[in-house]
Amino acid sequence: MAKPAFDTLRALAIASQALGFILIITLETVMGDAARPWQGWTLAAMVVAALWIALVRLYRRNRARKAHSRRQAAGGETDEDDD
């Protein structure tokens, strides 16, 4: 199975983490010490986003694996067909 040229989930993960770090730095610059609670919430949101993306990736990988095994069981595809 060929991998897609552009991985949307990877781009989403990178963008969400970059945006989170930019927001944390901006909060520190603008608010000073009062930014600590907001930075904590931002970090928590970043962790939740990363976990969500990981779960979606796992779900898609397992769904593709099951579809592949169903095709093999039906006799439609062998390992040599991937070349």
Side-chain angles (χ1 to χ4, degrees), residues 5-66:
F6 181 76
D7 189 358
T8 307
L9 287 177
R10 183 178 304 271
L12 184 61
I14 292 169
S16 68
Q17 297 300 302
L19 183 64
F21 283 124
I22 290 169
L23 184 59
I24 286 174
I25 292 168
T26 303
L27 285 169
E28 180 70 26
T29 302
V30 172
M31 298 176 69
D33 286 336
R36 297 290 180 206
W38 293 103
Q39 288 173 326
W41 284 109
T42 303
L43 183 61
M46 290 168 61
V47 170
V48 168
L51 290 174
W52 182 259
I53 291 169
L55 284 174
V56 170
R57 182 178 298 279
L58 182 65
Y59 171 76
R60 287 182 181 179
R61 185 180 304 134
N62 286 341
R63 188 176 60 179
R65 189 178 297 137
K66 286 179 185 179

